[in-house]
Amino acid sequence: MSSATFSSTCFLKGSEVKVSSLKSKNGNCKLHVGGSTSLSTKRLQISNAKQEKEVRVALLGASGYTGAEIIRLLANHPYFGITVMTADRNAGKSMDSVFPHLITQKVSSYTIEYWDLPVLVSTSDADFSDVDAVFCCLPHGTTQEIIKGLPKGLKIVDLSADFRLRNVSEYEEWYGQPHRAPDLQEEAVYGLTEILREEIKNAHLVANPGCYPTSIQLPLVPLIKANLIEHKNIIVDAKSGVSGAGRGAKVANLYTELTEGIMSYGVTRHRHVPEIEQGLSDAAHSKVTISFTPHLMPMTRGMQSTIYVEMASGVTTDNLYQQLKVSYQDEEFVRLLEKGAVPRTHDVRGSNYCYINVFPDRIPGRAIIISVIDNLVKGASGQALQNLNLMMGFPENTGLGYLPLFP
């Protein structure tokens, strides 16, 4: 990294302080402080966040919601630094001009921090020579050929749907186009972290799960593996905040179209259905088919899946509760609530948590399971970071210690 000199003026207890910093060859900052204020009892600290980090990350599709969320999460990650960001329609812009909340210079009376994010470039102009790992946040249908063209040896987490379905014919059926990288599909590992942790650790390419599949599979997979619920008559009523539909301008997602109402969509043909059924069928070692209807809610973030299941003969809701308790008792991000507590999307907002609980149905032999996540964090960017932490050999909770936002 080349030497750089900067100066800044700040005010400390009403007095102006001039700060100059000359970066030495070893990367340390040498300070010159001018002004009338004595700093004998107050230490002014300079932090340059463009310091070398162990893992250099490229973020493809940085100007979407999931891309912006990854940047927010990486802001305090001790090992991952962003060296490349792409956004074809915003190429040449700074990130804080696209998302003003991601301001890259923070000044306070005691600390001046510079978080020097790279300028956005088009995907075709991206230089991957200084990259170790990639988050790919591009739309489905565009990702396969781009990932196929990346340099060998990179660790990749793909947040699109392009590598989630193992059967490429099934991908063509549900996404309306042929798979363009079938050989690479064979290498892809499905990234439901708590369920496939060991496979993810050694993966080159991880297909990050969709938000609905995450909220549905986390409670159901342990119950299916333990043979506690029937594989038939599983009904899922799921609701998502509008950010799950992406940042593109769509009439159906306008404020006046959504506010004060609720809208079902993808009825009988939502593209997450084969992904959910693939994971549940793997757990059951036989074909599982579900009824699934998603809805858009007039809220920015959050997702709730209300799942209706038929219990196996002789099984009670207490058995389901105990199985989930055992399955997730050592997990940081999947929490089984106290009996009777109803999970709420507000309680996980902005965090990587999934809250779950089980309730007896009025219909004998059936149970109701409620699962909530933040669709942009555990349902996308947070789980992606959790996966890349595993792939790079770091504790999987690194950079994910954000408590939920409330209210």
Side-chain angles (χ1 to χ4, degrees):
M1 216 178 322
S2 61
S3 298
T5 303
F6 67 86
S7 64
S8 181
T9 301
C10 63
F11 293 86
L12 185 60
K13 289 200 171 180
S15 299
E16 182 175 330
V17 179
K18 184 76 172 181
V19 179
S20 296
S21 176
L22 175 63
K23 192 164 190 185
S24 63
K25 291 181 180 178
N26 64 9
N28 296 322
C29 286
K30 296 179 180 179
L31 303 184
H32 173 73
V33 181
S36 59
T37 300
S38 170
L39 297 180
S40 59
T41 59
K42 302 289 185 184
R43 184 178 179 183
L44 187 62
Q45 298 177 337
I46 303 296
S47 172
N48 188 336
K50 199 180 178 181
Q51 58 189 306
E52 290 292 341
K53 293 192 176 183
E54 293 184 42
V55 178
R56 301 161 298 178
V57 174
L59 177 56
L60 309 186
S63 61
Y65 290 140
T66 56
E69 197 71 353
I70 284 176
I71 295 171
R72 180 179 75 90
L73 297 174
L74 291 186
N76 295 310
H77 198 291
Y79 309 118
F80 295 171
I82 301 174
T83 56
V84 174
M85 296 195 305
T86 75
D88 289 353
R89 285 177 294 180
N90 290 292
K93 296 181 180 179
S94 65
M95 197 62 193
D96 56 0
S97 70
V98 178
F99 287 109
H101 74 287
L102 295 174
I103 189 167
T104 59
Q105 176 177 312
K106 295 169 270 185
V107 181
S108 72
S109 296
Y110 297 92
T111 304
I112 302 174
E113 296 181 310
Y114 285 84
W115 184 29
D116 210 355
L117 290 171
V119 171
L120 295 164
V121 298
S122 65
T123 305
S124 59
D125 292 334
D127 180 4
F128 295 98
S129 61
D130 194 30
V131 169
D132 303 304
V134 175
F135 287 113
C136 191
C137 302
L138 298 169
H140 69 264
T142 65
T143 300
Q144 294 156 1
E145 288 186 306
I146 289 172
I147 290 181
K148 184 168 63 173
L150 292 175
K152 302 298 181 184
L154 297 179
K155 297 285 189 177
I156 303 165
V157 180
D158 178 32
L159 283 80
S160 82
D162 277 6
F163 292 97
R164 294 175 188 163
L165 300 181
R166 291 193 301 271
N167 187 326
V168 294
S169 298
E170 196 167 35
Y171 175 86
E172 182 173 357
E173 175 189 347
W174 286 86
Y175 287 89
Q177 58 189 26
H179 200 289
R180 294 183 173 88
D183 293 340
L184 199 54
Q185 177 63 64
E186 294 179 6
E187 300 178 28
V189 171
Y190 188 66
L192 192 61
T193 318
E194 285 77 12
I195 305 300
L196 294 164
R197 180 175 284 115
E198 295 307 312
E199 292 87 342
I200 292 165
K201 286 179 181 178
N202 300 313
H204 155 67
L205 168 61
V206 165
N208 211 59
C211 45
Y212 287 122
T214 295
S215 68
I216 295 164
Q217 291 179 90
L218 284 174
L220 288 187
V221 166
L223 302 180
I224 288 175
K225 285 184 175 180
N227 298 312
L228 294 179
I229 61 175
E230 299 290 348
H231 303 163
K232 61 182 181 179
N233 297 329
I234 297 174
I235 301 169
V236 183
D237 180 299
K239 298 174 176 65
S240 175
V242 188
S243 58
R247 206 182 182 205
K250 305 179 185 75
V251 171
N253 297 342
L254 293 173
Y255 176 83
T256 49
E257 301 284 334
L258 280 175
T259 191
E260 300 180 32
I262 179 173
M263 183 183 76
S264 303
Y265 69 106
V267 180
T268 75
R269 288 296 296 176
H270 193 279
R271 288 167 168 170
H272 283 174
V273 168
E275 180 185 344
I276 297 165
E277 293 183 346
Q278 174 181 269
L280 300 185
S281 298
D282 287 348
H285 303 291
S286 63
K287 179 63 177 174
V288 175
T289 303
I290 66 169
S291 293
F292 170 68
T293 305
H295 309 77
L296 278 184
M297 300 294 290
M299 60 186 187
T300 302
R301 293 172 178 256
M303 174 167 288
Q304 175 174 314
S305 290
T306 305
I307 307 166
Y308 304 88
V309 299
E310 182 178 334
M311 292 178 284
S313 178
V315 172
T316 68
T317 53
D318 281 342
N319 299 136
L320 303 189
Y321 186 91
Q322 288 303 317
Q323 182 60 46
L324 290 172
K325 185 175 182 179
V326 170
S327 297
Y328 292 120
Q329 62 186 351
D330 296 323
E331 293 292 347
E332 180 168 356
F333 296 119
V334 182
R335 301 292 180 90
L336 180 66
L337 302 186
E338 295 293 326
K339 288 185 178 181
V342 179
R344 307 188 313 161
T345 58
H346 261 311
D347 295 335
V348 295
R349 190 169 185 263
S351 78
N352 199 49
Y353 291 107
C354 173
Y355 285 1
I356 300 171
N357 217 340
V358 182
F359 304 86
D361 198 339
R362 290 177 58 248
I363 301 173
R366 294 190 66 86
I368 302 169
I369 303 165
I370 298 176
S371 167
V372 297
I373 61 173
D374 184 317
N375 56 292
L376 289 179
V377 190
K378 187 59 173 170
S381 304
Q383 187 162 217
L385 178 53
Q386 197 176 349
N387 285 328
L388 189 60
N389 282 332
L390 280 171
M391 296 164 75
M392 303 306 296
F394 297 110
E396 68 184 67
N397 62 355
T398 308
L400 290 167
Y402 292 92
L403 291 175
L405 299 171
F406 187 85

